[in-house]
Amino acid sequence: MVNYVIRRLLLVPLILFGVTVLIFGMLQFLTPVERSALYVRDIPKNERALEGVIKQYGLDQPIPVQYWKWLVGTRDPHTGEIRGGILRGDFGYSRTASEPVADLIKRRFPATLELALWAVLPVVSGGVILGVIAAVNHNKPIDHIARIFAIVGWSFPDFVFGLLVLMFFYADLKWLPPGRVSDWANQVIMSPEFHNYTKLITLDALLNLRLDIFWDAVRHLILPVVTLSYLWWALQMRVTRSSMLETLRQDYITTARSKGLAEKVVIMRHALPNALMPVVTLGGSTVVGLLGGVVIVETVFDYHGMGLAFAAAAVQLDVITVLAFTLLNSLIMVVAYVIVDVLYAYIDPRVRLD
Amino acid sequence: MSAYEAQSSSEHLLEVKNLTTRFYTEDGVVYAVNGISYTMDEGDTLGVVGESGCGKSVHALSMMRLIPIPPGKIEAGEVLLRGRDLLKLSEEEMRHVRGAQLAMIFQDPMTSLNPVLTVGFQIMEALKLHQGMSDHEARARATELLEMVGIPEASLRLDDYPHQFSGGMRQRAMIAMGLSCNPMILIADEPTTALDVTIQAQIMDLVKRLRDKLGMAIIWITHDLGVVAGLAQRVNVMYAGSLIETGPVKEIYGNPHHPYTAGLLGSLPRPDDPPGTKLFSIKGEPPDLLGLPKGCPFAPRCTYAVERCFHEAPTLEPTEPGHLVACWEKERVEKIQ
Ligand SMILES: Nc1ncnc2c1ncn2[C@@H]1O[C@H](COP(=O)(O)OP(=O)(O)OP(=O)(O)O)[C@@H](O)[C@H]1O
Ligand SMILES: [Mg+2]
């Protein structure tokens, strides 16, 4: 197992190298002037000053040198300060956000992380657990109800579904608001008495023992979380259900029953680990799908996270910002796939002991 | 039926009466097992033979109450194990019978062990459940069992996963699992069909040795009459979900009275056949169990069939003591040479 994990982890730098080369390659489609946003906030209008910037940051040097500078940054000869360098977490300046991309990410990432973490909840409970329950109660009412919900979720695009629930619960019923928190709650969060431990509002509210803020944040999260996760829990539920049904037909399940094991033990101990394999495999794609969904869902619900910033940057062709986000996206995906691989090996000895 | 019932008055180890199982599928009702009755005594080895799809497995799974419900349903019958009707037990009571008193091993050792649990764990599970053993005791016993079925370095192999075992070793492990709680009866559902011929012989030898040592009764299901001859004392021949002939091995082989049994025996190759001998084969299609024929299920393929066979189903009647046949024309049936 340890060997297997190490082998997987050794692959990560290799994959990330590939990703950086790819993204750096895309940056080459920009002019040197545009690329200077990697290092300076304001691109000079004056031709001579511009040339100075290009020289200073080596934007006219051979590609490998530029790549290296893009990775680790270059020193400003006047101030001695190092600028740029994605490995230092400096992605240049965002034209659309008028701030360093790193600051934009720092500000927006917690909001999106909070949304994504809450979205995992329905994917696991609504998808995996309900899938198992539906399979075990094959063709009983609970199975039919779960399947109807899954088909609906599977057949609605998330932006259509999002707009529908927004119209209904926000515009008509005025039950659930868009945005991240209400104004009054935002004032409390900004005040010095409120400690922002994690920047995840729901968690911080609990840590500050402010149930009113917690509830306010949850009310804002319900619609985006439901919209974001519906498709994915519907898919997980279908996969879990059919995988569980398939597993329950296997010979070793009959063997387990023939030993006199209780049905609960047969399902939890003998069927579930086998049935979960395709579910775990799908976990990687689910993370990717959730990341993509975030852009649409944050836009529909005016939820100020990474997705909304990404959409704004994309619309205005702010390539520096878009590529920085793409890089981050790839990093998350690589981590997700490593976790999936490790989980897979944990469940299946045939993978682990190979 | 009356002659049969008169014989079975004293208490047997196992007494199956009128066992009837059907599957209610979308295509219609599958008449998988149609009123089977027989008995077994302590230490008996019973062979159950018949061609594919004739209900051998369903009959065994019905006794274990392991057929999927729905679509399956045990319509009628009794399965008396030392006089206790298993079909009347609660699910909870039945669980204490499965694996403890009535154990079963299956055809395909490649698929009948759980791939994500170690072989040792899967053997110990039954020991802990039925005999209340601690982890430590169960481990010691599981090692003994694996040694008993001839797996070298048993204590190390306990921690292996099924995919690290060969097919033969897996079937040995299945046998160890089946015998772990000293069952009264071991049901073996074609346990050697999926194995190489040499491994088959080894497994057969192993089972014989274990039977002599432990004294459990065995129900050995197979479609290979040759296998049964070397192992069983009695044979049940099944056709289309019915028991059509039952008797001591010698009687069945030497003096078959059902045309189907005679046909099966005639289709066995013999060592003294001159090369190129054409084997006898039963003509016609194996029966479709969707729907039950009115008369004898074998009649459409039978060379002895008379008018009566097509509208009246024959019942099991004795021809010799302990040898029963369900055939109207049994007096005319001759062994195929
Ligand atoms: N779960 C099920 N649903 C519907 N029909 C079934 C089911 N299980 C078995 N049957 C049917 O019951 C009949 C008897 O099947 P069974 O498995 O007992 O045959 P068998 O004698 O064991 O054959 P084989 O030698 O191939 O194992 C077959 O016609 C089969 O199609
Ligand atoms: Mg079978």
Side-chain angles (χ1 to χ4, degrees), chain B residues 23 25 30 32 51-59 68 71 107 190 223 289:
Chain B
F23 292 97
T25 68
V30 180
E51 61 198 332
S52 189
C54 71
K56 304 183 297 291
S57 299
V58 172
H59 129 268
Q107 176 167 351
E190 308 201 37
H223 51 245
L289 295 183

Side-chain angles (χ1 to χ4, degrees), chain A residues 251 255 259-260 269-270 274, chain B residues 95 111-112 114 122 125 130:
Chain A
D251 290 346
T255 306
K259 278 190 261 188
R269 190 190 286 165
H270 283 263
N274 287 287
Chain B
R95 288 209 294 105
T111 57
S112 44
N114 194 326
Q122 295 184 61
E125 205 171 31
H130 294 300

Side-chain angles (χ1 to χ4, degrees), chain A residues 46-295:
Chain A
N46 172 320
E47 196 127 324
R48 293 200 43 169
L50 203 57
E51 230 152 75
V53 166
I54 289 173
K55 271 237 135 38
Q56 183 177 342
Y57 294 102
L59 293 168
D60 54 353
Q61 285 180 3
I63 300 270
V65 176
Q66 284 198 46
Y67 174 69
W68 180 250
K69 289 191 165 164
W70 178 65
L71 284 185
V72 302
T74 93
R75 191 180 296 275
D76 184 321
H78 308 302
T79 61
E81 156 196 33
I82 298 177
R83 291 185 166 215
I86 57 162
L87 293 183
R88 296 173 52 243
D90 187 341
F91 302 96
Y93 290 91
S94 167
R95 182 154 52 77
T96 40
S98 320
E99 65 182 327
V101 177
D103 290 354
L104 175 66
I105 291 174
K106 222 177 283 162
R107 220 155 36 77
R108 291 297 186 89
F109 188 70
T112 299
L113 182 66
E114 185 165 32
L115 180 60
L117 286 179
W118 278 89
V120 167
L121 209 69
V123 171
V124 172
S125 61
V128 180
I129 297 175
L130 195 61
V132 170
I133 292 174
V136 170
N137 294 288
H138 186 39
N139 280 340
K140 301 215 179 98
I142 177 103
D143 184 25
H144 294 306
I145 293 168
R147 278 163 73 191
I148 289 168
F149 268 99
I151 290 167
V152 171
W154 184 231
S155 37
F156 268 101
D158 40 13
F159 62 92
V160 175
F161 184 77
L163 288 173
L164 282 178
V165 294
L166 194 66
M167 262 161 53
F168 195 65
F169 290 102
Y170 172 64
D172 282 2
L173 295 174
K174 299 205 186 332
W175 281 357
L176 297 168
R180 196 171 174 207
V181 281
S182 306
D183 289 340
W184 66 265
N186 200 31
Q187 273 165 23
V188 177
I189 292 167
M190 295 311 206
S191 70
E193 300 93 79
F194 192 90
H195 298 282
N196 290 301
Y197 301 103
T198 62
K199 300 251 175 75
L200 308 179
I201 295 178
T202 43
L203 193 57
D204 284 341
L206 289 179
L207 292 174
N208 283 282
L209 302 175
R210 289 295 300 257
L211 284 184
D212 53 340
I213 305 256
F214 175 77
W215 178 236
D216 184 68
V218 167
R219 270 164 41 92
H220 284 82
L221 274 167
I222 289 174
L223 292 184
V225 162
V226 168
T227 309
L228 180 61
S229 60
Y230 195 3
L231 174 89
W232 296 100
W233 83 245
L235 187 65
Q236 283 284 13
M237 132 93 204
R238 279 164 47 124
V239 170
T240 309
R241 178 178 172 278
S242 60
S243 154
M244 191 71 184
L245 282 176
E246 181 59 35
T247 306
L248 287 173
R249 272 196 291 272
Q250 298 298 312
D251 290 346
Y252 53 78
I253 297 299
T254 313
T255 306
R257 290 191 178 126
S258 79
K259 278 190 261 188
L261 295 174
E263 192 60 18
K264 229 188 333 192
V265 178
V266 172
I267 287 167
M268 298 307 288
R269 190 190 286 165
H270 283 263
L272 194 58
N274 287 287
L276 279 183
M277 287 174 203
V279 177
V280 168
T281 310
L282 190 60
S285 329
T286 303
V287 171
V288 174
L290 287 177
L291 286 176
V294 152
V295 176

